[in-house]
Amino acid sequence: MTVHISMNELCWFVDFVDFGPLLRESTSRWVDCRLYTSFEFVDDILSDCNFDSLISLCLELYPDSSADIAPQAKKLDAFINTPLLRSLDYRNEFHQEYPVLLPWGQLTSMEVAAPALSDAFALGPFKTLTNVQRLTLHLSSLDLETDTLLFLSHNPLQLPSLTSLCLSRLAEEDAQTGQFISCLEMPAFTELELVFEWLPSTDSEDDEDVASRITFPHFHSSVDLGQLKILSITFPYEDDPDGVDKLVAFLCLVPNLHELWLCHYDIPSAVFDALTLKNGHSEILPYLQLLNFSGSGFAGDVGITHVLSMLESRCPLPGRETNGPSVLTQFILFPYAVQHIATMCVNDEIRGRWDDLCTSMLVISR
């Protein structure tokens, strides 16, 4: 049974005094529960209910009307006894934080969206996420005390089962995020997604200055980035003069990558040049098998030779070997980019090279 309750929708036509008992009777059958509501609703209506079948929980809280009661004085414990709970999507876009009591050690997937990560959350739930395999953090910033970061630097948080990590809203100006990530030990880590935040310019700087501030996070020394197999990066920037250098420097840290998903307004020619294997010299990602540019276009400086040279160095053609130990088998593009390549095939020789590549590997338009 899937339940979706939105306070904004229900408050117009539901009398909670009458609706509450009916709702409570059905909770034992809930498998997927999605709540967009206030602390008051969960605490008053759903406390002491039976959630024995609940597997997935999406909890999106907003501030109570009773602003005179401090959030820290309350505890959300309605879902503490959920023996089958495995997936949590916790969203709190407000600066009120309520202690949430859950069987954190059971979770295999967790997504957190909040303005900041507090000391209580970092030192509480995070210390018990021993079974989490996928973790997604949408954090505008951290709100950690210096003592907390110092403690974590000497006592890293153990995430032994984590294989996939997504970091969203990344911004260089928040140095704490990088410090916190460097305090995570993830021995099974194989998949990473990075989503960089657009930082609006101020009166004293233009967009190019803002874009140039982006940096990649640093990871704990125990994390072997060489074991990373899948990497997805979203750049919401058009004009970062150092963007390609930063990207290439990070890609050099993940030499065994199998899949690269890159989303950018327009991929510049320097990216194609960097990804071109040159007889074993200055190689990056020699084991790449899938390259996904489906969220991107091509910059004006990209010519057909940039595309063909990169692909031919990684894809086997009749009578020719690749320059790397592995073979690129899938090249995924935005439909407009495929059309753009077609318009650049201005003669039979170039058209033939592109057709040979399309025959040798899977070119997907999506």
Side-chain angles (χ1 to χ4, degrees):
M1 179 178 184
T2 298
V3 179
H4 183 187
I5 299 174
S6 172
M7 192 79 159
N8 281 355
E9 297 169 2
L10 288 174
C11 66
W12 295 104
F13 59 87
V14 172
D15 183 340
F16 285 107
V17 175
D18 296 329
F19 181 67
L22 177 63
L23 194 65
R24 292 168 61 89
E25 290 176 4
S26 68
T27 58
S28 63
R29 302 192 303 275
W30 292 7
V31 174
D32 180 7
C33 176
R34 304 177 186 181
L35 297 175
Y36 174 67
T37 181
S38 69
F39 178 95
E40 293 170 314
F41 174 79
V42 178
D43 192 46
D44 295 343
I45 304 297
L46 298 181
S47 61
D48 301 321
C49 289
N50 182 334
F51 294 104
D52 286 349
S53 301
L54 190 63
I55 296 175
S56 178
L57 173 64
C58 177
L59 193 58
E60 192 166 351
L61 296 178
Y62 54 78
D64 285 350
S65 58
S66 53
D68 56 321
I69 302 177
Q72 292 77 10
K74 306 177 180 182
K75 283 185 172 59
L76 184 61
D77 59 1
F79 299 99
I80 187 63
N81 295 313
T82 48
L84 299 181
L85 186 65
R86 296 295 182 269
S87 177
L88 172 68
D89 185 350
Y90 177 62
R91 298 176 178 272
N92 181 0
E93 297 294 345
F94 300 89
H95 287 278
Q96 279 187 324
E97 181 179 352
Y98 303 102
V100 179
L101 303 182
L102 288 169
W104 300 100
Q106 296 176 187
L107 298 177
T108 58
S109 175
M110 186 173 83
E111 183 169 354
V112 177
L117 188 68
S118 68
D119 293 274
F121 202 84
L123 296 175
F126 257 93
K127 294 182 67 175
T128 60
L129 298 177
T130 54
N131 288 305
V132 162
Q133 299 170 16
R134 178 168 180 80
L135 176 63
T136 301
L137 299 177
H138 308 279
L139 303 173
S140 298
S141 65
L142 299 187
D143 189 21
L144 302 181
E145 298 290 340
T146 302
D147 289 346
T148 299
L149 285 170
L150 180 62
F151 174 80
L152 292 176
S153 67
H154 295 289
N155 302 272
L157 297 171
Q158 306 293 323
L159 300 173
S161 303
L162 190 73
T163 59
S164 177
L165 174 66
C166 174
L167 302 175
S168 180
R169 303 178 184 173
L170 287 172
E172 185 200 4
E173 62 189 27
D174 177 27
Q176 279 197 347
T177 300
Q179 290 179 273
F180 178 70
I181 296 305
S182 70
C183 296
L184 303 181
E185 285 198 4
M186 305 172 287
F189 178 48
T190 59
E191 181 177 349
L192 174 65
E193 180 178 358
L194 301 175
V195 181
F196 288 90
E197 181 182 34
W198 170 252
L199 301 174
S201 60
T202 64
D203 293 338
S204 61
E205 57 188 359
D206 57 27
D207 288 346
E208 183 173 327
D209 293 330
V210 174
S212 66
R213 294 204 307 256
I214 64 172
T215 57
F216 285 85
H218 296 285
F219 292 87
H220 189 268
S221 58
S222 67
V223 176
D224 181 11
L225 291 177
Q227 67 188 15
L228 204 65
K229 303 300 181 186
I230 301 174
L231 174 63
S232 175
I233 303 175
T234 298
F235 282 101
Y237 307 101
E238 247 180 313
D239 300 309
D240 181 355
D242 302 318
V244 174
D245 291 338
K246 294 173 185 176
L247 174 64
V248 171
F250 189 77
L251 293 181
C252 289
L253 302 177
V254 290
N256 298 313
L257 203 68
H258 288 176
E259 297 185 15
L260 175 62
W261 301 59
L262 192 60
C263 181
H264 191 286
Y265 284 137
D266 291 306
I267 303 293
S269 61
V271 171
F272 287 94
D273 292 340
L275 291 175
T276 301
L277 300 180
K278 303 175 181 68
N279 299 317
H281 299 289
S282 303
E283 292 181 1
I284 61 172
L285 310 184
Y287 298 97
L288 195 65
Q289 299 172 15
L290 181 149
L291 182 58
N292 189 323
F293 286 169
S294 62
S296 311
F298 292 160
D301 66 341
V302 174
I304 187 63
T305 55
H306 297 104
V307 180
L308 295 180
S309 296
M310 185 273 290
L311 294 177
E312 288 173 346
S313 74
R314 294 179 175 271
C315 181
L317 293 173
R320 185 186 306 173
E321 295 183 356
T322 62
N323 294 329
S326 188
V327 171
L328 186 70
T329 58
Q330 293 187 58
F331 185 40
I332 304 174
L333 293 167
F334 190 65
Y336 173 78
V338 176
Q339 298 172 5
H340 182 54
I341 291 176
T343 61
M344 291 192 292
C345 295
V346 294
N347 58 50
D348 292 341
E349 186 266 336
I350 292 178
R351 167 58 65 183
R353 290 169 64 187
W354 174 245
D355 289 343
D356 287 342
L357 286 165
C358 293
T359 301
S360 301
M361 67 178 179
L362 185 60
V363 178
I364 303 173
S365 172
R366 65 169 58 156

